[in-house]
């Protein structure tokens, strides 16, 4: 399950003085295309992504993959996320959806935002994979 910020790294070519986050994201998606990993994505990722970029960019990217698990959130998922975290609903919802999609990893750039969920799912950066 890939967090929204990784898609944004790719499409915006984000980088720091020492790290090219867009390249790390691109390498992850190459591994997914080569079937080293299976992509789990949710409508929640799409909703967050559309705040910053055009939805069609994300749709085109995932259309290149042959085996994608698409998760549509339910009110039950939202209840579980609220129970999982009182202060971080958006990321808790990603965790709940990732688990429902049977993801092994939740891949994010924002490791600190997901620390409280590390007992629920393995949190990783793209370069880790």
């Amino acid at each position: 399950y890939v967090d929204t910020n990784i898609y944004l790294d790719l499409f915006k070519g984000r980088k720091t003085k020492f790290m090219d986050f867009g390249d790390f994201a691109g390498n992850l998606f190459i591994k997914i295309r080569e079937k080293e990993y299976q992509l789990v994505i949710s409508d929640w990722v799409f909703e967050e992504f559309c705040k910053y970029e055009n939805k069609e960019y994300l749709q085109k990217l995932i259309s290149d993959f042959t085996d994608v698990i698409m998760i549509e959130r339910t009110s039950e998922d939202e209840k579980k996320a609220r129970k999982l975290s009182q202060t971080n609903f958006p990321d808790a919802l990603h965790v709940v959806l990732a688990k429902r999609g049977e993801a092994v990893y939740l891949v994010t750039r924002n490791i600190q935002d997901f620390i409280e969920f590390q007992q629920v799912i393995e949190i990783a950066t793209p370069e880790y994979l």
Side-chain angles (χ1 to χ4, degrees):
Y1 187 97
V2 179
D3 188 17
T4 309
N5 60 67
I6 303 302
Y7 296 100
L8 293 172
D9 287 349
L10 178 69
F11 289 110
K12 291 185 172 287
R14 298 195 294 199
K15 59 179 87 176
T16 68
K17 188 174 183 178
F18 302 105
M19 295 180 74
D20 189 327
F21 297 139
D23 279 353
F24 289 132
N27 289 334
L28 173 63
F29 292 115
I30 287 169
K31 290 176 181 179
I32 292 168
R33 183 174 290 118
E34 293 173 349
K35 300 183 191 248
E36 189 172 333
Y37 299 103
Q38 183 178 25
L39 180 65
V40 178
I41 191 168
S42 69
D43 61 335
W44 184 235
V45 168
F46 272 92
E47 187 173 318
E48 286 187 332
F49 184 83
C50 289
K51 294 175 186 175
Y52 307 99
E53 283 293 337
N54 190 316
K55 179 180 181 178
E56 283 73 35
Y57 295 153
L58 189 50
Q59 288 173 322
K60 175 151 180 25
L61 175 69
I62 66 169
S63 72
D64 288 342
F65 305 129
T66 57
D67 193 18
V68 176
I69 297 173
M70 179 65 187
I71 305 294
E72 300 285 332
R73 71 185 182 273
T74 65
S75 60
E76 186 61 31
D77 294 325
E78 292 180 4
K79 287 177 192 173
K80 286 180 183 178
R82 288 190 195 332
K83 188 175 181 181
L84 187 59
S85 178
Q86 302 297 313
T87 58
N88 189 358
F89 171 78
D91 292 333
L93 185 54
H94 282 302
V95 171
V96 168
L97 296 170
K99 290 299 289 181
R100 189 154 65 85
E102 299 181 3
V104 174
Y105 301 102
L106 192 149
V107 184
T108 185
R109 177 70 39 218
N110 301 327
I111 296 292
Q112 285 302 115
D113 294 351
F114 287 90
I115 290 293
E116 67 182 293
F117 309 117
Q118 63 188 351
Q119 300 301 322
V120 180
I121 191 167
E122 187 167 348
I123 309 301
T125 59
E127 55 271 27
Y128 173 80
L129 300 178

